[in-house]
Amino acid sequence: HMQRAPMPSSSIRVTKTHFSSSSRVLFVAGLEGSGHHMWQQVLGRCFRRGLCETDANLSTLLHAVRHRDGPHGQLAKKGLFEHTLQDGAFVYESPPAETEARLARVRERLRAAASSAKPRLLVLNGIGGGLGMCVPLHGKDNGTRGTTTTWCSGMLSYPNMAGLNRALHNPDLYRLARWAEAAGADLRVVVVRRSALATLLSTSSNRHRRATALKQYGSWASQSAMLVHAAGALLSQLALLDGHFFRCASYESFGADAAPFL
């Protein structure tokens, strides 16, 4: 018979020690198709009252797709949640110095969130439409005439956006929790739950109404396999976190069951 896998030792798990009644950082964790886009509506009132904020620079430091409006679309990927930097058919490892510089900026922005004098909820993802939060791309690669090139975070779902090696494009809650604790930030993770069938319909049948979606994301069968791998990644990361970091919220509740946690 099958036995339950042992829990990670307490020395490996990240213990939550920072709690704030006013300034918090929110990450919405869930499979692709589980309801990230819904959270823009759920948090709408919070943004209208000025209690919710975003930091596009922080979100794109975690994951960024160089996206160009027009026929070329996605061009490359980078970020601390990326294992590779992609450019066409070639895959390069990000230089260590670039990774360290990016990590230093993430820590700086998390410290700023933790020391904020005004009450706020800093929302890292689930905002900004299909491309997530975007920042302009400056320099010589700023696109061609008639196009707009930006770095965009995506929804930071499991997996996040299309491209080569999609199975590797998952967020890393373990590292995010460690960075938040080191910065003194109160990280709150809402884990979105949705039925397997509804999630698969969202990522396959509904998405395939667009002509390019089947080529970008694959068939029903391939998307099923991708989501199984992504679910394993999310579950293994949650197992490494103190339970005080996260709460589960059902898609059907429209965020109501996560409200007390936020």
PDB file of all heavy atoms in Angstrom, residues 25-29 173 176-177 187-191 234 238 241 244-248 261-262:
ATOM      1  N   VAL A  25       2.673  41.835   1.911  1.00  0.00           N
ATOM      2  CA  VAL A  25       2.988  41.516   0.513  1.00  0.00           C
ATOM      3  C   VAL A  25       2.164  40.297   0.124  1.00  0.00           C
ATOM      4  O   VAL A  25       2.212  39.271   0.809  1.00  0.00           O
ATOM      5  CB  VAL A  25       4.492  41.235   0.323  1.00  0.00           C
ATOM      6  CG1 VAL A  25       4.791  40.884  -1.135  1.00  0.00           C
ATOM      7  CG2 VAL A  25       5.332  42.432   0.767  1.00  0.00           C
ATOM      8  N   LEU A  26       1.424  40.402  -0.978  1.00  0.00           N
ATOM      9  CA  LEU A  26       0.538  39.311  -1.408  1.00  0.00           C
ATOM     10  C   LEU A  26       1.060  38.648  -2.674  1.00  0.00           C
ATOM     11  O   LEU A  26       1.381  39.322  -3.651  1.00  0.00           O
ATOM     12  CB  LEU A  26      -0.870  39.846  -1.670  1.00  0.00           C
ATOM     13  CG  LEU A  26      -1.854  38.871  -2.344  1.00  0.00           C
ATOM     14  CD1 LEU A  26      -2.134  37.672  -1.437  1.00  0.00           C
ATOM     15  CD2 LEU A  26      -3.148  39.579  -2.726  1.00  0.00           C
ATOM     16  N   PHE A  27       1.108  37.313  -2.633  1.00  0.00           N
ATOM     17  CA  PHE A  27       1.388  36.517  -3.830  1.00  0.00           C
ATOM     18  C   PHE A  27       0.245  35.527  -4.005  1.00  0.00           C
ATOM     19  O   PHE A  27      -0.091  34.785  -3.078  1.00  0.00           O
ATOM     20  CB  PHE A  27       2.714  35.764  -3.722  1.00  0.00           C
ATOM     21  CG  PHE A  27       3.115  35.084  -5.005  1.00  0.00           C
ATOM     22  CD1 PHE A  27       3.877  35.750  -5.950  1.00  0.00           C
ATOM     23  CD2 PHE A  27       2.721  33.778  -5.274  1.00  0.00           C
ATOM     24  CE1 PHE A  27       4.236  35.134  -7.133  1.00  0.00           C
ATOM     25  CE2 PHE A  27       3.067  33.153  -6.457  1.00  0.00           C
ATOM     26  CZ  PHE A  27       3.833  33.840  -7.386  1.00  0.00           C
ATOM     27  N   VAL A  28      -0.360  35.522  -5.193  1.00  0.00           N
ATOM     28  CA  VAL A  28      -1.451  34.600  -5.509  1.00  0.00           C
ATOM     29  C   VAL A  28      -0.847  33.394  -6.220  1.00  0.00           C
ATOM     30  O   VAL A  28      -0.344  33.504  -7.342  1.00  0.00           O
ATOM     31  CB  VAL A  28      -2.515  35.269  -6.390  1.00  0.00           C
ATOM     32  CG1 VAL A  28      -3.641  34.285  -6.702  1.00  0.00           C
ATOM     33  CG2 VAL A  28      -3.078  36.514  -5.705  1.00  0.00           C
ATOM     34  N   ALA A  29      -0.870  32.231  -5.567  1.00  0.00           N
ATOM     35  CA  ALA A  29      -0.252  31.022  -6.111  1.00  0.00           C
ATOM     36  C   ALA A  29      -1.327  30.071  -6.620  1.00  0.00           C
ATOM     37  O   ALA A  29      -2.312  29.810  -5.925  1.00  0.00           O
ATOM     38  CB  ALA A  29       0.591  30.326  -5.042  1.00  0.00           C
ATOM     39  N   LEU A 173       8.148  29.707  -4.427  1.00  0.00           N
ATOM     40  CA  LEU A 173       7.667  30.245  -3.163  1.00  0.00           C
ATOM     41  C   LEU A 173       8.689  30.069  -2.041  1.00  0.00           C
ATOM     42  O   LEU A 173       8.737  30.880  -1.111  1.00  0.00           O
ATOM     43  CB  LEU A 173       6.363  29.567  -2.760  1.00  0.00           C
ATOM     44  CG  LEU A 173       5.143  29.878  -3.634  1.00  0.00           C
ATOM     45  CD1 LEU A 173       3.944  29.065  -3.156  1.00  0.00           C
ATOM     46  CD2 LEU A 173       4.831  31.360  -3.603  1.00  0.00           C
ATOM     47  N   LEU A 176      11.066  32.956  -2.440  1.00  0.00           N
ATOM     48  CA  LEU A 176      10.352  34.200  -2.165  1.00  0.00           C
ATOM     49  C   LEU A 176      10.124  34.377  -0.662  1.00  0.00           C
ATOM     50  O   LEU A 176      10.289  35.476  -0.115  1.00  0.00           O
ATOM     51  CB  LEU A 176       9.024  34.217  -2.912  1.00  0.00           C
ATOM     52  CG  LEU A 176       8.169  35.482  -2.750  1.00  0.00           C
ATOM     53  CD1 LEU A 176       8.914  36.711  -3.249  1.00  0.00           C
ATOM     54  CD2 LEU A 176       6.851  35.325  -3.492  1.00  0.00           C
ATOM     55  N   ALA A 177       9.750  33.297   0.028  1.00  0.00           N
ATOM     56  CA  ALA A 177       9.528  33.366   1.476  1.00  0.00           C
ATOM     57  C   ALA A 177      10.829  33.688   2.211  1.00  0.00           C
ATOM     58  O   ALA A 177      10.840  34.480   3.172  1.00  0.00           O
ATOM     59  CB  ALA A 177       8.945  32.050   1.976  1.00  0.00           C
ATOM     60  N   LEU A 187       4.974  38.373   4.175  1.00  0.00           N
ATOM     61  CA  LEU A 187       4.498  37.752   2.939  1.00  0.00           C
ATOM     62  C   LEU A 187       3.272  36.900   3.225  1.00  0.00           C
ATOM     63  O   LEU A 187       3.276  36.071   4.134  1.00  0.00           O
ATOM     64  CB  LEU A 187       5.598  36.882   2.318  1.00  0.00           C
ATOM     65  CG  LEU A 187       5.195  36.050   1.093  1.00  0.00           C
ATOM     66  CD1 LEU A 187       4.873  36.949  -0.097  1.00  0.00           C
ATOM     67  CD2 LEU A 187       6.306  35.061   0.728  1.00  0.00           C
ATOM     68  N   ARG A 188       2.205  37.118   2.449  1.00  0.00           N
ATOM     69  CA  ARG A 188       0.995  36.307   2.526  1.00  0.00           C
ATOM     70  C   ARG A 188       0.765  35.653   1.161  1.00  0.00           C
ATOM     71  O   ARG A 188       0.759  36.353   0.143  1.00  0.00           O
ATOM     72  CB  ARG A 188      -0.228  37.166   2.896  1.00  0.00           C
ATOM     73  CG  ARG A 188      -0.062  37.989   4.182  1.00  0.00           C
ATOM     74  CD  ARG A 188      -0.088  37.111   5.417  1.00  0.00           C
ATOM     75  NE  ARG A 188       0.169  37.862   6.630  1.00  0.00           N
ATOM     76  CZ  ARG A 188      -0.773  38.163   7.527  1.00  0.00           C
ATOM     77  NH1 ARG A 188      -2.033  37.803   7.316  1.00  0.00           N
ATOM     78  NH2 ARG A 188      -0.463  38.813   8.631  1.00  0.00           N
ATOM     79  N   VAL A 189       0.578  34.348   1.147  1.00  0.00           N
ATOM     80  CA  VAL A 189       0.367  33.602  -0.088  1.00  0.00           C
ATOM     81  C   VAL A 189      -1.042  33.043  -0.090  1.00  0.00           C
ATOM     82  O   VAL A 189      -1.422  32.295   0.816  1.00  0.00           O
ATOM     83  CB  VAL A 189       1.389  32.451  -0.247  1.00  0.00           C
ATOM     84  CG1 VAL A 189       1.125  31.667  -1.534  1.00  0.00           C
ATOM     85  CG2 VAL A 189       2.816  32.991  -0.223  1.00  0.00           C
ATOM     86  N   VAL A 190      -1.835  33.422  -1.082  1.00  0.00           N
ATOM     87  CA  VAL A 190      -3.166  32.839  -1.261  1.00  0.00           C
ATOM     88  C   VAL A 190      -3.057  31.756  -2.328  1.00  0.00           C
ATOM     89  O   VAL A 190      -2.646  32.028  -3.466  1.00  0.00           O
ATOM     90  CB  VAL A 190      -4.199  33.898  -1.691  1.00  0.00           C
ATOM     91  CG1 VAL A 190      -5.515  33.236  -2.083  1.00  0.00           C
ATOM     92  CG2 VAL A 190      -4.426  34.892  -0.563  1.00  0.00           C
ATOM     93  N   VAL A 191      -3.375  30.525  -1.974  1.00  0.00           N
ATOM     94  CA  VAL A 191      -3.309  29.397  -2.899  1.00  0.00           C
ATOM     95  C   VAL A 191      -4.710  29.190  -3.479  1.00  0.00           C
ATOM     96  O   VAL A 191      -5.642  28.838  -2.760  1.00  0.00           O
ATOM     97  CB  VAL A 191      -2.829  28.118  -2.186  1.00  0.00           C
ATOM     98  CG1 VAL A 191      -2.698  26.973  -3.196  1.00  0.00           C
ATOM     99  CG2 VAL A 191      -1.495  28.366  -1.483  1.00  0.00           C
ATOM    100  N   LEU A 234       4.201  23.154  -7.227  1.00  0.00           N
ATOM    101  CA  LEU A 234       3.544  24.008  -6.235  1.00  0.00           C
ATOM    102  C   LEU A 234       3.412  23.296  -4.895  1.00  0.00           C
ATOM    103  O   LEU A 234       3.702  23.863  -3.831  1.00  0.00           O
ATOM    104  CB  LEU A 234       2.167  24.426  -6.756  1.00  0.00           C
ATOM    105  CG  LEU A 234       1.273  25.223  -5.805  1.00  0.00           C
ATOM    106  CD1 LEU A 234       1.962  26.474  -5.296  1.00  0.00           C
ATOM    107  CD2 LEU A 234      -0.043  25.578  -6.487  1.00  0.00           C
ATOM    108  N   LEU A 238       5.044  24.409  -1.213  1.00  0.00           N
ATOM    109  CA  LEU A 238       4.223  24.678  -0.035  1.00  0.00           C
ATOM    110  C   LEU A 238       4.647  23.817   1.150  1.00  0.00           C
ATOM    111  O   LEU A 238       4.570  24.249   2.303  1.00  0.00           O
ATOM    112  CB  LEU A 238       2.748  24.432  -0.360  1.00  0.00           C
ATOM    113  CG  LEU A 238       2.093  25.418  -1.329  1.00  0.00           C
ATOM    114  CD1 LEU A 238       0.688  24.949  -1.691  1.00  0.00           C
ATOM    115  CD2 LEU A 238       2.054  26.817  -0.744  1.00  0.00           C
ATOM    116  N   LEU A 241       7.182  25.443   3.405  1.00  0.00           N
ATOM    117  CA  LEU A 241       6.831  26.697   4.071  1.00  0.00           C
ATOM    118  C   LEU A 241       6.069  26.442   5.366  1.00  0.00           C
ATOM    119  O   LEU A 241       5.241  25.531   5.452  1.00  0.00           O
ATOM    120  CB  LEU A 241       5.958  27.574   3.159  1.00  0.00           C
ATOM    121  CG  LEU A 241       6.516  27.997   1.817  1.00  0.00           C
ATOM    122  CD1 LEU A 241       5.571  28.999   1.149  1.00  0.00           C
ATOM    123  CD2 LEU A 241       7.903  28.590   1.949  1.00  0.00           C
ATOM    124  N   HIS A 244       1.830  29.298   8.331  1.00  0.00           N
ATOM    125  CA  HIS A 244       1.369  30.671   8.543  1.00  0.00           C
ATOM    126  C   HIS A 244       1.585  31.554   7.322  1.00  0.00           C
ATOM    127  O   HIS A 244       1.049  32.668   7.264  1.00  0.00           O
ATOM    128  CB  HIS A 244       2.081  31.292   9.746  1.00  0.00           C
ATOM    129  CG  HIS A 244       1.692  30.688  11.057  1.00  0.00           C
ATOM    130  ND1 HIS A 244       2.443  29.703  11.676  1.00  0.00           N
ATOM    131  CD2 HIS A 244       0.618  30.897  11.859  1.00  0.00           C
ATOM    132  CE1 HIS A 244       1.867  29.354  12.806  1.00  0.00           C
ATOM    133  NE2 HIS A 244       0.747  30.049  12.940  1.00  0.00           N
ATOM    134  N   PHE A 245       2.352  31.081   6.345  1.00  0.00           N
ATOM    135  CA  PHE A 245       2.588  31.866   5.139  1.00  0.00           C
ATOM    136  C   PHE A 245       1.370  31.878   4.214  1.00  0.00           C
ATOM    137  O   PHE A 245       1.192  32.826   3.452  1.00  0.00           O
ATOM    138  CB  PHE A 245       3.769  31.295   4.347  1.00  0.00           C
ATOM    139  CG  PHE A 245       5.111  31.786   4.788  1.00  0.00           C
ATOM    140  CD1 PHE A 245       5.988  30.946   5.450  1.00  0.00           C
ATOM    141  CD2 PHE A 245       5.513  33.093   4.524  1.00  0.00           C
ATOM    142  CE1 PHE A 245       7.238  31.383   5.844  1.00  0.00           C
ATOM    143  CE2 PHE A 245       6.764  33.540   4.920  1.00  0.00           C
ATOM    144  CZ  PHE A 245       7.628  32.684   5.589  1.00  0.00           C
ATOM    145  N   PHE A 246       0.564  30.820   4.215  1.00  0.00           N
ATOM    146  CA  PHE A 246      -0.435  30.696   3.153  1.00  0.00           C
ATOM    147  C   PHE A 246      -1.799  30.234   3.657  1.00  0.00           C
ATOM    148  O   PHE A 246      -1.931  29.654   4.732  1.00  0.00           O
ATOM    149  CB  PHE A 246       0.060  29.731   2.071  1.00  0.00           C
ATOM    150  CG  PHE A 246       0.341  28.328   2.538  1.00  0.00           C
ATOM    151  CD1 PHE A 246      -0.653  27.362   2.524  1.00  0.00           C
ATOM    152  CD2 PHE A 246       1.612  27.965   2.981  1.00  0.00           C
ATOM    153  CE1 PHE A 246      -0.400  26.065   2.949  1.00  0.00           C
ATOM    154  CE2 PHE A 246       1.879  26.668   3.417  1.00  0.00           C
ATOM    155  CZ  PHE A 246       0.867  25.717   3.393  1.00  0.00           C
ATOM    156  N   ARG A 247      -2.802  30.563   2.847  1.00  0.00           N
ATOM    157  CA  ARG A 247      -4.164  30.092   3.030  1.00  0.00           C
ATOM    158  C   ARG A 247      -4.720  29.680   1.675  1.00  0.00           C
ATOM    159  O   ARG A 247      -4.367  30.276   0.646  1.00  0.00           O
ATOM    160  CB  ARG A 247      -5.067  31.184   3.619  1.00  0.00           C
ATOM    161  CG  ARG A 247      -4.770  31.541   5.046  1.00  0.00           C
ATOM    162  CD  ARG A 247      -5.116  30.401   6.011  1.00  0.00           C
ATOM    163  NE  ARG A 247      -4.905  30.816   7.397  1.00  0.00           N
ATOM    164  CZ  ARG A 247      -3.735  30.782   8.013  1.00  0.00           C
ATOM    165  NH1 ARG A 247      -2.651  30.362   7.361  1.00  0.00           N
ATOM    166  NH2 ARG A 247      -3.622  31.168   9.262  1.00  0.00           N
ATOM    167  N   CYS A 248      -5.595  28.693   1.649  1.00  0.00           N
ATOM    168  CA  CYS A 248      -6.231  28.262   0.410  1.00  0.00           C
ATOM    169  C   CYS A 248      -7.530  29.027   0.203  1.00  0.00           C
ATOM    170  O   CYS A 248      -8.241  29.341   1.169  1.00  0.00           O
ATOM    171  CB  CYS A 248      -6.509  26.755   0.441  1.00  0.00           C
ATOM    172  SG  CYS A 248      -5.023  25.743   0.467  1.00  0.00           S
ATOM    173  N   PHE A 261      -7.506  36.522   5.993  1.00  0.00           N
ATOM    174  CA  PHE A 261      -6.069  36.286   5.954  1.00  0.00           C
ATOM    175  C   PHE A 261      -5.332  37.520   5.437  1.00  0.00           C
ATOM    176  O   PHE A 261      -4.193  37.784   5.820  1.00  0.00           O
ATOM    177  CB  PHE A 261      -5.784  35.079   5.070  1.00  0.00           C
ATOM    178  CG  PHE A 261      -4.335  34.747   4.899  1.00  0.00           C
ATOM    179  CD1 PHE A 261      -3.555  34.367   5.975  1.00  0.00           C
ATOM    180  CD2 PHE A 261      -3.741  34.779   3.640  1.00  0.00           C
ATOM    181  CE1 PHE A 261      -2.212  34.036   5.803  1.00  0.00           C
ATOM    182  CE2 PHE A 261      -2.407  34.449   3.459  1.00  0.00           C
ATOM    183  CZ  PHE A 261      -1.651  34.078   4.551  1.00  0.00           C
ATOM    184  N   LEU A 262      -5.986  38.300   4.566  1.00  0.00           N
ATOM    185  CA  LEU A 262      -5.344  39.449   3.957  1.00  0.00           C
ATOM    186  C   LEU A 262      -5.398  40.680   4.858  1.00  0.00           C
ATOM    187  O   LEU A 262      -4.672  41.631   4.640  1.00  0.00           O
ATOM    188  CB  LEU A 262      -5.979  39.766   2.602  1.00  0.00           C
ATOM    189  CG  LEU A 262      -5.928  38.631   1.572  1.00  0.00           C
ATOM    190  CD1 LEU A 262      -6.620  39.049   0.293  1.00  0.00           C
ATOM    191  CD2 LEU A 262      -4.480  38.242   1.300  1.00  0.00           C
TER     192      LEU A 262
END
